């Protein structure tokens, strides 16, 4: 009997393809918070930028028009940015932080009276349970802003709103596919 030798060849095929992103931005009613987001379906990430008053906490919740159990990103203190599953009964949101958060802070800066924070996170996030949409259309959001830097009851300084996600084709970009072939001799 002769021995059988197997050779496995793995190589990458590179080609150009169009990448799709979904973008939305706007100034939210009542609170005046500016928010923009870019959803990148190839990288599977969302980049969110929020600008509010530097001396007040502020936050934006995604995927609905009511506060309770809403996924939100809050900027508080002088350098704290965190994500939460909001609880209407918890004025300070002390017990609403996302366990195992996948939020990454890209920047947190103050210019004059404005504080701008930019964060990223995966589109699909098992730690928060909230998944951003990957199609064009309406995205319901809520926003709130407090009267100081520590999270506390916002009073009437809150607002439901809607952002419109638009499809943006960004490309071409390099896409790679790993292909394995097996040959037996």
């Amino acid at each position: 009997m002769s021995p059988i030798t197997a050779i496995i060849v793995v190589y990458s095929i590179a080609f150009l393809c169009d990448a799709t992103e979904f973008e939305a931005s706007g100034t939210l009613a009542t609170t005046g918070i500016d928010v923009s987001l870019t959803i990148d379906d190839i990288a599977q990430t969302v980049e969110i930028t929020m600008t509010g008053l530097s001396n007040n906490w502020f936050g934006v919740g995604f995927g609905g028009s009511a506060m309770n159990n809403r996924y939100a990103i809050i900027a508080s203190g002088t350098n704290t940015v965190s994500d939460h599953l909001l609880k209407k009964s918890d004025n300070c949101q002390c017990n609403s932080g996302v366990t195992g958060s996948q939020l990454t802070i890209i920047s947190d800066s103050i210019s004059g009276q404005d504080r701008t924070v930019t964060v990223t996170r995966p589109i699909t996030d098992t730690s928060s349970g909230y998944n951003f949409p990957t199609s064009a259309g309406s995205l319901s959001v809520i926003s709130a802003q407090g009267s100081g830097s520590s999270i506390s009851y916002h009073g009437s300084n809150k607002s439901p709103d809607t952002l419109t996600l638009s499809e943006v084709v960004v490309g071409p970009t390099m896409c790679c596919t790993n292909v394995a072939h097996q040959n037996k001799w």
Side-chain angles (χ1 to χ4, degrees), residues 12-23:
S12 291
I13 298 174
F15 56 94
L16 295 178
C17 63
D18 288 333
T20 302
E21 293 181 348
F22 300 93
E23 297 179 347

Side-chain angles (χ1 to χ4, degrees), residues 55-141:
N55 59 342
N56 295 338
W57 71 266
F58 58 91
V60 177
F62 300 91
S65 59
M67 178 180 167
N68 208 33
N69 296 318
R70 185 71 42 227
Y71 174 76
I73 299 170
I74 299 175
S76 61
T78 56
N79 63 354
T80 301
V81 180
S82 52
D83 55 354
H84 297 260
L85 290 175
L86 299 176
K87 296 179 179 171
K88 191 169 178 125
S89 61
D90 186 0
N91 284 341
C92 69
Q93 298 304 313
C94 300
N95 299 305
S96 68
V98 173
T99 302
S101 173
Q102 296 183 49
L103 193 70
T104 300
I105 300 166
I106 302 301
S107 65
D108 184 352
S109 61
I110 294 175
S111 177
Q113 294 183 344
D114 293 331
R115 178 180 181 185
T116 301
V117 298
T118 300
V119 298
T120 61
R121 57 152 272 182
I123 291 172
T124 302
D125 183 0
T126 55
S127 60
S128 71
Y130 180 71
N131 301 327
F132 279 89
T134 54
S135 60
S138 296
L139 176 63
S140 296
V141 296

